[in-house]
Amino acid sequence: MKRTGFSKADCPVARGLDAIGDWWSLLIVRDALDGLRRFGDFQKNLGIAKGMLSARLQKLVELDVLELVPASDGSAYQEYALTKRGRDLFPVIVGLRQWGEAHLYARGEAHSDLVDQAGQPVGQLVLPSRTGRPLTWSETRVRKAGARKR
Amino acid sequence: MKRTGFSKADCPVARGLDAIGDWWSLLIVRDALDGLRRFGDFQKNLGIAKGMLSARLQKLVELDVLELVPASDGSAYQEYALTKRGRDLFPVIVGLRQWGEAHLYARGEAHSDLVDQAGQPVGQLVLPSRTGRPLTWSETRVRKAGARKR
DNA sequence: GCAACTGGTCCTATTATAAGACCAACCTGG
DNA sequence: CCAGGTTGGTCTTATAATAGGACCAGTTGC
């Protein structure tokens, strides 16, 4: 049967997953954020089947997460560049990275690290209230689409 | 062929997606963060096939994202409760939510909202440097697993 | 000019998902 | 205390997605 879709959902989480929640899209975006731009580079780095990659890249271009631009080396080929919409996925990737780091590695096991320009590891993602105070999960709730403030 | 796995990857993003990057897991966690705990509640709310849900819940329990606890209403049934590891997925869900809100809804289209205890919409996720200064994507880079500082 | 590289398309075997039939244990009203 | 509904699953079947590789046209390097 056809895979269930959420492109019309009231919940932005569901709609987001519908767009980029498949097996490969976020990994492609991760690689794009790391600077990869060419079809062959993605294919080599991910070990993905070329047909899959082709379909995913097309979908990401349709979604305006990536765009095709002339190759930066002057050749006749094209490159896949991140759009603003694609760059805006940065916090999602960082969130996944920090969760993975905290829970999916044995003590002392090596993994790649996100660092700033000085080479210093970055801090944890923070969700601020409107006034700037950091919020935890238990201090928030989801207000349904049509609901009135209370 | 068997779906490609990343459970041994050096990159925490890949390992994270391997764990909870399938079609349903993050939606189940989203619902759990919203307070859902019973099999039937997840099934009704997501419209997921029961077999899928059963398999996903089992996997999430194995991963220690959810745990089975006695039902809070005193019945002989059990409930699925979030563990710390599950609650730590909150920033990932929020990241997805904010990306979806910003890019996947037409102007004026209704969606659910994340608010604080006063009912105020929350702010955007912030990635601070070690010193507390907010960092953007272009101010960071990924240092590969074995690489020496530079 | 030609071999290798790039960026794909297409085909096949296998795996995952959706949908619903089925079932056992529990709970509820009379 | 037991009949019928609720809960929480399992199993089966069809359709869709994925992995892997053969194949191919245009581009590039030599």
Side-chain angles (χ1 to χ4, degrees):
Chain A
M1 303 289 178
K2 190 150 134 199
R3 177 178 271 191
T4 310
F6 298 101
S7 55
K8 305 292 178 49
D10 278 346
C11 173
V13 180
R15 225 182 254 205
L17 285 171
D18 192 68
I20 46 109
D22 63 82
W23 199 244
W24 288 109
S25 294
L26 275 178
L27 286 171
I28 293 171
V29 172
R30 174 203 64 176
D31 278 1
L33 285 167
D34 284 354
L36 267 57
R37 299 168 68 93
R38 297 286 284 253
F39 186 96
D41 292 336
F42 289 112
Q43 209 253 316
K44 241 173 293 174
N45 195 54
L46 293 170
I48 183 177
K50 293 165 86 173
M52 269 297 94
L53 178 58
S54 180
R56 286 291 168 270
L57 288 172
Q58 252 179 269
K59 190 183 166 198
L60 289 171
V61 168
E62 269 172 40
L63 280 170
D64 192 30
V65 166
L66 298 176
E67 61 183 342
L68 274 168
V69 300
S72 49
D73 61 3
S75 76
Y77 295 114
Q78 290 190 296
E79 295 181 345
Y80 293 91
L82 281 167
T83 61
K84 166 152 178 35
R85 185 173 292 192
R87 288 189 297 273
D88 280 357
L89 280 167
F90 180 59
V92 177
I93 304 279
V94 172
L96 261 170
R97 162 176 287 279
Q98 295 190 338
W99 184 78
E101 285 175 357
H103 297 292
L104 267 22
Y105 286 81
R107 273 192 342 114
E109 196 179 0
H111 57 72
S112 62
D113 262 308
L114 188 65
V115 298
D116 66 17
Q117 288 169 315
Q120 289 296 310
V122 304
Q124 293 289 119
L125 281 173
V126 172
L127 179 67
S129 76
R130 180 169 269 184
T131 60
R133 193 172 59 84
L135 292 171
T136 64
W137 161 63
S138 56
E139 294 173 312
T140 67
R141 63 196 166 74
V142 172
R143 193 171 61 206
K144 289 219 182 70
R148 206 66 213 95
K149 278 190 189 182
R150 67 172 168 81
Chain B
M1 304 294 176
K2 188 147 136 205
R3 178 177 271 193
T4 310
F6 298 102
S7 55
K8 306 291 176 50
D10 278 346
C11 173
V13 179
R15 226 184 253 204
L17 284 171
D18 192 67
I20 45 105
D22 63 82
W23 198 245
W24 288 110
S25 295
L26 274 178
L27 285 171
I28 294 171
V29 171
R30 174 203 65 175
D31 278 0
L33 285 167
D34 284 354
L36 268 57
R37 299 168 68 92
R38 297 286 284 254
F39 186 97
D41 292 336
F42 289 113
Q43 209 255 314
K44 239 171 295 173
N45 196 54
L46 292 171
I48 183 178
K50 294 164 85 173
M52 267 298 93
L53 179 57
S54 181
R56 286 290 168 271
L57 287 172
Q58 251 179 270
K59 190 183 166 199
L60 289 171
V61 168
E62 269 173 38
L63 280 170
D64 192 31
V65 165
L66 298 176
E67 61 184 341
L68 274 167
V69 300
S72 49
D73 62 2
S75 75
Y77 295 115
Q78 290 189 296
E79 295 180 345
Y80 294 89
L82 281 168
T83 60
K84 167 151 176 33
R85 185 173 293 193
R87 287 189 298 274
D88 281 356
L89 281 167
F90 181 60
V92 177
I93 304 278
V94 172
L96 261 171
R97 162 177 287 280
Q98 297 189 337
W99 185 78
E101 285 174 357
H103 296 291
L104 267 22
Y105 285 82
R107 272 193 341 115
E109 196 179 0
H111 57 73
S112 62
D113 262 309
L114 188 64
V115 299
D116 66 16
Q117 288 169 317
Q120 289 296 309
V122 303
Q124 294 288 119
L125 282 173
V126 173
L127 179 67
S129 76
R130 180 170 269 184
T131 61
R133 193 172 60 85
L135 292 171
T136 64
W137 161 62
S138 56
E139 294 173 312
T140 67
R141 61 195 168 75
V142 172
R143 193 171 60 207
K144 291 220 181 67
R148 204 67 212 95
K149 275 191 190 184
R150 67 171 169 83

